[in-house]
């Protein structure tokens, strides 16, 4: 049986949004693999989604250094 396809990040003009969407999908995939959502996962996903919404609303082109540092930590936390 073939493995299911990975879900691509949505096409967007802003590369920051694409990376944040990949991070959000990775958090979702981790929750599915671990058979449920923990409080930490829910909080992390809400944080990433709020960043995506802010970037879309205000049309930011850069992340604040503290947001970038936090997202880097989340990438490491949810490594496959």
């Amino acid at each position: 049986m073939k493995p299911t396809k990975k879900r691509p990040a949505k096409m967007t003009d802003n590369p920051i949004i694409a990376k944040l969407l990949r991070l959000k999908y990775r958090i979702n995939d981790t929750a599915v693999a671990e058979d449920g959502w923990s409080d930490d996962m829910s909080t992390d996903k809400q944080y990433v989604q709020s960043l995506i919404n802010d970037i879309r609303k205000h049309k930011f082109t850069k992340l604040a250094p503290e947001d970038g540092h936090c997202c880097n930590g989340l990438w490491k936390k949810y490594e496959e």
Side-chain angles (χ1 to χ4, degrees), residues 1 4 6 13 19-20 25 30 36 38 48-49 59 62 70:
M1 185 170 171
T4 59
K6 295 278 184 179
D13 292 337
K19 289 179 185 178
L20 289 173
Y25 294 151
T30 302
S38 68
V48 172
Q49 187 62 50
K59 303 200 186 311
K62 293 183 180 180
C70 184

Side-chain angles (χ1 to χ4, degrees), residues 7-20:
R7 160 177 47 183
K10 293 181 181 176
M11 294 301 292
T12 179
D13 292 337
N14 193 336
I16 297 171
I17 292 176
K19 289 179 185 178
L20 289 173

Side-chain angles (χ1 to χ4, degrees), residues 48-61:
V48 172
Q49 187 62 50
S50 69
L51 280 178
I52 293 169
N53 291 338
D54 287 344
I55 290 170
R56 285 180 174 158
K57 182 178 179 182
H58 301 292
K59 303 200 186 311
F60 293 139
T61 57

Side-chain angles (χ1 to χ4, degrees), residues 21-79:
L21 284 171
R22 281 197 310 254
L23 177 59
K24 186 178 99 168
Y25 294 151
R26 183 176 284 189
I27 294 170
N28 285 342
D29 293 342
T30 302
V32 169
E34 293 181 3
D35 297 325
W37 289 88
S38 68
D39 290 337
D40 289 340
M41 283 186 214
S42 296
T43 304
D44 294 341
K45 183 181 174 186
Q46 288 173 356
Y47 173 73
V48 172
Q49 187 62 50
S50 69
L51 280 178
I52 293 169
N53 291 338
D54 287 344
I55 290 170
R56 285 180 174 158
K57 182 178 179 182
H58 301 292
K59 303 200 186 311
F60 293 139
T61 57
K62 293 183 180 180
L63 275 180
E66 56 272 6
D67 291 331
H69 181 70
C70 184
C71 287
N72 285 340
L74 291 176
W75 278 107
K76 291 177 185 172
K77 183 176 178 180
Y78 294 105
E79 279 182 323

